[in-house]
Amino acid sequence: MTDAKPTAVVGTTDGSAPGRLGIAVASGMLKGVYGHGVLSAFEERGLGADVYGTASSSGLSGGLAAVGRAREVGVGYWLGAAAAALDKGMSNVVLDSIAEYGPTLREGLFRTGAPEYLLATSKLTDPAAAETTRGPGAKALGKQLLRNVFSGDRGWVEQNLAPAVFSTQVAPGDDRPRLTPENYDAVAYASTRMLHAWTIPAEVGGEAYVDASYTCSCPAREVAARGVGVLIAIGSDPFPLFRDLYASEEIVDGSVLDGARVLVVKPDEDVKSLGVDYATATAEGLAKAYETGLDAGHRFVDGHPELLAAPIGHQEGVA
């Protein structure tokens, strides 16, 4: 694992490369199809990262980007997920997607030279709260937590949850949770488990977890901490991009986060107008939102040609 600090910064007048590059992709349920489009455009243009940070619905698209398969899968995954959600329920939709794409991701994410891949979750820190998330009261709790988003009440989250961001590259002595081929399936499911709609409990190593979005819907800070010079943060809404559902920290375009220059890519308009909401979407809307992301990704690369000095780690990690 390379922890070297960047050797140059985007915006240099001599056209030098930006050093290590990180990409953090926000969650957004079905709206995440936009971010998948952006990543697909990056892949088409040869723009890869040394570190990919993902959470919840972006776990799949970000993972596919890390192994060079984002464009290959494209909007197809999202069409299948949306069509199956009403009949199967979201728990089973996610489990089916892990079964389908897990082998590809386990093969690519853990190979020598692959980019570092981060997958965020929320870990239960209180035993009583953990049991609630496993039992019949989970759905009611989930609905209350969504109502708390609008009131700004983070009390339950602060008392009972902690962000846990798993990494494929953890050095000896590093206390970050490690993502392995053996626990990948469990962590991938845990990252998506919104309590109001996912009926199957999530556990990793016998401990309870829930969706990343409660504590870390966009792991920009974690990606920045990996020694990148530039951090591209991809959102799924035109609104300010925040770290979590409760807007605890805004991720601001042009800011500097832990030494990394932040560049934000997000839709100009709500993809709901195209037919894609968080939990429901039309096939036509998903195709349009994906194409909107593709176009935004290409425009972003056109505006930042200096980023096309592809990171060595990414080049080695993609077949």
Side-chain angles (χ1 to χ4, degrees):
M1 180 175 65
T2 301
D3 288 322
K5 293 295 182 181
T7 57
V9 178
V10 167
T12 54
T13 58
D14 62 2
S16 56
R20 282 168 55 83
L21 176 67
I23 295 177
V25 193
S27 63
M29 295 181 70
L30 291 176
K31 287 187 176 185
V33 68
Y34 170 86
H36 194 141
V38 173
L39 292 168
S40 295
F42 288 178
E43 190 174 291
E44 288 182 351
R45 300 293 291 275
L47 177 60
D50 295 282
V51 186
Y52 288 85
T54 68
S56 193
S57 64
S58 71
L60 177 69
S61 53
L64 290 169
V67 302
R69 301 290 180 84
R71 189 66 174 102
E72 176 186 317
V73 173
V75 73
Y77 160 74
W78 302 92
L79 291 169
L86 290 178
D87 293 332
K88 291 188 172 184
M90 288 307 301
S91 287
N92 288 310
V93 167
V94 172
L95 290 171
D96 286 350
S97 74
I98 293 171
E100 181 175 358
Y101 297 104
T104 294
L105 293 174
R106 284 191 296 271
E107 178 185 1
L109 292 174
F110 301 98
R111 72 194 317 173
T112 301
E116 183 173 8
Y117 172 75
L118 309 179
L119 182 55
T121 64
S122 299
K123 183 177 181 179
L124 273 297
T125 57
D126 178 79
E131 287 308 307
T132 300
T133 68
R134 293 179 170 118
K139 188 173 183 178
L141 172 60
K143 290 181 177 180
Q144 182 59 56
L145 292 178
L146 288 182
R147 289 192 290 269
N148 291 350
V149 171
F150 299 100
S151 67
D153 181 1
R154 301 183 73 249
W156 192 92
V157 168
E158 291 178 344
Q159 292 170 14
N160 299 294
L161 296 179
V165 183
F166 288 75
S167 170
T168 57
Q169 298 181 17
V170 179
D174 191 332
D175 61 359
R176 293 181 301 152
R178 186 178 184 88
L179 188 66
T180 68
E182 292 72 31
N183 70 12
Y184 169 81
D185 288 6
V187 176
Y189 176 72
S191 184
T192 72
R193 200 217 166 184
M194 292 295 288
L195 289 166
H196 70 284
W198 273 244
T199 57
I200 300 174
E203 292 187 357
V204 180
E207 297 186 279
Y209 288 75
V210 291
D211 193 286
S213 301
Y214 296 116
T215 61
C216 184
S217 56
C218 186
R221 183 168 289 281
E222 285 76 10
V223 173
R226 304 312 299 148
V228 302
V230 178
L231 167 63
I232 303 171
I234 303 174
S236 57
D237 281 303
F239 320 118
L241 178 58
F242 291 106
R243 174 174 172 79
D244 56 46
L245 281 176
Y246 302 91
S248 64
E249 178 184 6
E250 184 175 358
I251 301 162
V252 181
D253 184 57
S255 64
V256 176
L257 184 61
D258 201 9
R261 182 186 176 194
V262 178
L263 301 172
V264 174
V265 184
K266 59 184 180 179
D268 295 326
E269 62 177 333
D270 193 339
V271 295
K272 185 176 180 179
S273 67
L274 302 177
V276 181
D277 207 346
Y278 295 109
T280 59
T282 65
E284 181 182 13
L286 287 167
K288 288 180 178 178
Y290 178 76
E291 292 293 330
T292 298
L294 270 176
D295 180 65
H298 283 296
R299 286 189 282 110
F300 177 87
V301 176
D302 288 340
H304 298 280
E306 73 278 6
L307 296 179
L308 289 174
I312 293 175
H314 182 80
Q315 292 173 337
E316 291 177 349
V318 176

